[in-house]
Amino acid sequence: MKHHWMIAPLTAIAALSATSAFAAEELTVYTAYETDMLAKFKNGFEKANPDIKIKWVRDSTGIMTAKLLAEKANPRADVVWGLAGSSMALLKDEGILKPYTPAGLDQIRPNLIDPEQDKAWFGNDAFFNAVCFNEMVAKAQGLPKPESWQDLLKPVYKGHIAMPNPASSGTGYMQVSAWMQSMGDDAAWDYMEKLDKNIAHYTHSGSKPCVQAGMGEVAIGISMAIRGAKLKTQGAPIDIIMPTGGVGWESEAVGLVNTQSDAAKRLVDWSLSKEANHLYNAFYPVVGHKAVNKPVKNYPDVESAMVKMDFSKMAVSRQDVLKTWSAKFDAKSEPRS
């Protein structure tokens, strides 16, 4: 008899455990976040929502955007979390991202979210361009410190500037888009043709021009602001300049695909929470939540230099812009490694 009483509770516990294991709803989440971030974001969400599990599907921004477009008729994602604003705008235009009003939206910086009335994507973080200027090289070569984009057209900078190829670098395309949207298309192409005369080479990496400036290989690198801050903190003799005329930037955002899933809506809501934004802030100096802004050493005042970006236009015109840019300027690109 005693033996049976021992078995019954164990059987009940096993059944309960099985029920618990299968009770958690699994969400398929498409992302372009870097791999080292995914575990932290997953753990943070699942700790706050133990009845929901995240199944990541990760790839680069371009591949992930193409995958979502290819699956338009039969969507497999529940949520897109961590994809560039320009891609999110395109996915919304194609009807893949659905309009939704998440909890806590009033706490998110307005310039990082979908600007349209029926909002469908919401910024988690933003990343920015800057000009990395090697002060030691400049002193040795007699180069003045540039203050504006127009300054970079001066003949004194001939052969001293590197920037990313926009066809292979999102950082490069961000800046080309910023010039086109702030100057107008014709003036921007005219500017880039003049700038090309001073360009030493175009890189295939967004951070490489700043690395090259830090090492003294060039005096000036149009590059990622966060890379500049890290290199300066490590002792590189660079100044990080926010040129007059404004810098290019992108928002990485979240959006809802599966409107039938309450769990998917809860993920979108949580991704805008202060708790989630503290996780983003470990990787990005500028995040969506207005109350989360832990400073990063040597990071410039990027927010005052933000060009007003139309992400939808950026997405739709990408192919044509890159075709034209490559025809005009690709001859100065570094060899692909």
Side-chain angles (χ1 to χ4, degrees):
M1 191 71 177
K2 187 177 179 183
H3 182 69
H4 289 296
W5 276 108
M6 293 280 290
I7 292 172
L10 289 173
T11 309
I13 289 167
L16 264 172
S17 300
T19 307
S20 303
F22 288 105
E25 181 174 345
E26 187 175 79
L27 287 177
T28 299
V29 182
Y30 282 22
T31 188
Y33 275 133
E34 293 300 319
T35 307
D36 61 342
M37 302 177 186
L38 299 184
K40 291 187 178 183
F41 298 166
K42 175 181 166 73
N43 292 341
F45 173 72
E46 291 178 359
K47 187 177 177 182
N49 299 271
D51 57 326
I52 307 171
K53 299 292 179 193
I54 287 175
K55 177 190 171 189
W56 293 115
V57 177
R58 192 216 165 268
D59 218 312
S60 65
T61 299
I63 292 172
M64 193 50 66
T65 305
K67 182 174 173 64
L68 283 153
L69 290 168
E71 294 172 1
K72 177 180 174 179
N74 183 27
R76 296 173 193 172
D78 295 303
V79 175
V80 180
W81 186 17
L83 200 61
S86 54
S87 291
M88 298 297 262
L90 179 61
L91 295 174
K92 180 192 175 181
D93 289 347
E94 292 292 325
I96 296 161
L97 288 186
K98 305 298 193 296
Y100 177 59
T101 305
L105 182 57
D106 60 328
Q107 294 301 305
I108 305 303
R109 298 169 193 266
N111 55 354
L112 297 194
I113 63 178
D114 184 351
E116 296 175 1
Q117 197 70 34
D118 55 339
K119 300 185 187 308
W121 54 269
F122 315 96
N124 303 130
D125 61 75
F127 49 101
F128 298 80
N129 286 336
V131 169
C132 297
F133 180 65
N134 188 307
E135 295 170 309
M136 285 179 65
V137 171
K139 189 174 181 181
Q141 301 277 349
L143 304 175
K145 177 181 172 180
E147 304 286 350
S148 68
W149 291 118
Q150 294 301 322
D151 282 350
L152 296 185
L153 303 184
K154 293 175 180 176
V156 71
Y157 296 119
K158 184 176 177 65
H160 291 295
I161 304 172
M163 80 166 276
N165 177 330
S168 50
S169 162
T171 305
Y173 184 59
M174 277 194 315
Q175 192 52 55
V176 168
S177 296
W179 288 329
M180 295 184 79
Q181 294 193 22
S182 60
M183 299 177 184
D185 290 3
D186 291 344
W189 285 118
D190 181 61
Y191 174 81
M192 286 184 272
E193 284 177 9
K194 291 174 181 172
L195 179 66
D196 182 65
K197 293 173 184 174
N198 288 347
I199 293 282
H201 53 254
Y202 299 100
T203 67
H204 296 294
S205 155
S207 60
K208 192 172 181 181
C210 195
V211 173
Q212 291 178 334
M215 293 173 69
E217 293 175 16
V218 292
I220 295 168
I222 300 168
S223 193
M224 300 170 68
I226 188 67
R227 176 64 66 182
K230 286 180 179 176
L231 289 170
K232 186 166 184 174
T233 300
Q234 289 166 2
I238 55 175
D239 191 8
I240 304 157
I241 301 166
M242 295 283 106
T244 305
V247 295
W249 62 281
E250 271 262 41
S251 169
E252 283 183 304
V254 67
L256 182 68
V257 179
N258 184 359
T259 56
Q260 304 306 305
S261 169
D262 287 334
K265 292 173 184 175
R266 281 166 58 189
L267 174 54
V268 174
D269 290 356
W270 185 86
S271 76
L272 303 189
S273 69
K274 194 182 282 190
E275 185 182 352
N277 276 263
H278 280 301
L279 296 178
Y280 309 143
N281 205 193
F283 300 99
Y284 300 95
V286 177
V287 297
H289 202 288
K290 297 171 189 173
V292 180
N293 53 4
K294 179 184 169 189
V296 170
K297 191 176 181 182
N298 289 316
Y299 198 73
D301 181 14
V302 288
E303 291 185 77
S304 65
M306 294 167 78
V307 169
K308 188 173 181 182
M309 303 289 280
D310 181 337
F311 293 120
S312 187
K313 181 181 178 184
M314 195 173 161
V316 170
S317 59
R318 182 184 181 94
Q319 196 171 350
D320 288 342
V321 169
L322 296 182
K323 185 179 178 182
T324 302
W325 189 95
S326 295
K328 287 176 178 286
F329 310 122
D330 198 33
K332 278 192 176 179
S333 291
E334 290 184 324
R336 291 181 182 269
S337 54

